[in-house]
Amino acid sequence: MEAAVKGWHFSGLYCQSYSEKPRVSWRESCSFQGLSRGFWRKTLPLEVNSSEPNSSSIPSLRGGYVLRRKGIQVLSPHISSPSVPVEFLDAWEDEYDGVVINPENLPSSANAFASALRASMSNWELKGKRGIWLKILLEQADLVPIAIQEGFNFHHAEPGYVMLTYWLPNEPCLLPASPSHQIGIGGFVMNHKREVLVVKEKCPCSCSGVWKLPTGYINKSEEIFSGAVREVKEETGIDTIFLEMVAFR
C-alpha cells in the first residue's frame, strides 16, 4: 500500500488507522486529544511510503514514524519527523527588564503549558530578560507543579491565586521578597483640655481590662494616617483629625 499524507495538523497523541487511498488527510483520519486548541498551527507536506500489507504509519513524538503492524509498534528511523512550531506564552515586559506572564491567557492543557513555558523562557533568556513573574489562578492550579518542575519558586499567595517567580541571570536574585509584615497603629488623641483618649481592652488574653490607646492594624493599601483615624473611630466612635506621626518602631 502506498499512502500520502499532506497538510497534516498534528496536535495530539493518537491516530486512527486509515484505509488504502491514494491520498489521506490527517484532518479526516486522525483524532487528537489532550493538547489545547491552536497550540500546533502550521502544516507541512509529507509523504509516507509503506510496502507492507496490513500496516499503517503514524507520526512519532520522538522522531520518525511508527509502523503499526498487527498490534506491534516499530519505530522507523528512515523517515524524518517534521519540525513542529511552539507558541510562546502571552506576556509583557516590566520596567525592570523583567517579564510578567498574562494569567488570563495560559494554555488550558498541561502539555501545551509545559512546552510553551520552556520555549518562552529560552526566548526570554536570549533577549537578556531577568525576573519572570507567573501568576496562576485557582482554576489553573494543576499548572503549578509544572512551573515548579521548571525551576519556578513560590513568591506569595492570595485568595484565588498563587504567584511564582524565576530569576534568569546567573547571579543573585534581585526580585523583591514577598510581603512579610503588618503595620499596627495606636492613636494618641488629645482634646482641648489635654485629656488623652483611652479604651479598655476586651480581648480574652491576659491584657483584658487594661486601659490603653485605641489600636489596630492598617488595611492592605491603606495610608497610615487614614488607618489611624479609622481605628479610633471604630473603637471609640469619635471623629479625629490626623496631625502628625509621634513615634515609629
Side-chain angles (χ1 to χ4, degrees):
M1 175 187 74
E2 179 173 342
V5 180
K6 190 171 185 179
W8 61 282
H9 187 77
F10 182 70
S11 61
L13 303 177
Y14 173 72
C15 174
Q16 299 175 354
S17 175
Y18 48 81
S19 58
E20 295 188 22
K21 295 182 181 179
R23 291 190 176 275
V24 180
S25 171
W26 277 85
R27 297 178 184 272
E28 298 175 356
S29 61
C30 296
S31 173
F32 300 108
Q33 301 176 355
L35 297 185
S36 64
R37 181 185 303 175
F39 187 69
W40 310 114
R41 293 184 180 275
K42 297 183 179 179
T43 58
L44 298 174
L46 293 176
E47 290 192 356
V48 181
N49 296 325
S50 174
S51 58
E52 299 189 30
N54 301 322
S55 66
S56 61
S57 301
I58 64 172
S60 168
L61 296 179
R62 298 183 179 273
Y65 276 74
V66 175
L67 301 179
R68 304 192 68 171
R69 185 184 312 111
K70 296 180 180 180
I72 301 176
Q73 299 184 7
V74 181
L75 181 65
S76 173
H78 305 295
I79 307 175
S80 61
S81 63
S83 59
V84 182
V86 178
E87 290 185 351
F88 296 142
L89 294 174
D90 182 22
W92 60 86
E93 299 179 3
D94 61 22
E95 59 268 32
Y96 302 103
D97 209 18
V99 176
V100 180
I101 300 173
N102 184 4
E104 303 293 340
N105 201 24
L106 293 178
S108 58
S109 78
N111 288 341
F113 173 71
S115 298
L117 182 61
R118 295 188 192 107
S120 299
M121 291 177 63
S122 297
N123 180 54
W124 294 328
E125 188 173 13
L126 290 175
K127 291 182 177 180
K129 299 304 175 185
R130 299 165 69 80
I132 310 299
W133 296 86
L134 172 60
K135 182 179 182 180
I136 298 182
L137 305 178
L138 180 62
E139 57 269 23
Q140 305 164 324
D142 57 333
L143 303 181
V144 172
I146 299 174
I148 296 299
Q149 187 176 3
E150 294 301 321
F152 277 78
N153 294 310
F154 290 107
H155 187 266
H156 68 274
E158 295 285 349
Y161 77 89
V162 60
M163 181 70 75
L164 300 100
T165 59
Y166 190 98
W167 184 250
L168 283 171
N170 187 21
E171 58 186 39
C173 178
L174 300 180
L175 293 176
S178 62
S180 60
H181 296 75
Q182 287 182 307
I183 300 177
I185 59 95
F188 189 87
V189 183
M190 189 166 53
N191 62 13
H192 66 283
K193 297 181 182 181
R194 301 183 66 82
E195 295 173 330
V196 177
L197 178 64
V198 293
V199 296
K200 181 176 287 188
E201 187 65 75
K202 293 183 178 181
C203 68
C205 56
S206 59
C207 61
S208 178
V210 174
W211 291 95
K212 69 178 187 66
L213 299 176
T215 60
Y217 285 107
I218 299 297
N219 293 330
K220 183 178 180 180
S221 302
E222 184 179 35
E223 297 286 355
I224 292 180
F225 70 88
S226 60
V229 172
R230 174 185 55 78
E231 283 291 345
V232 172
K233 176 68 173 180
E234 289 177 357
E235 295 198 2
T236 68
I238 297 177
D239 294 314
T240 58
I241 298 175
F242 181 85
L243 297 179
E244 61 182 340
M245 184 180 294
V246 178
F248 180 88
R249 70 177 178 88

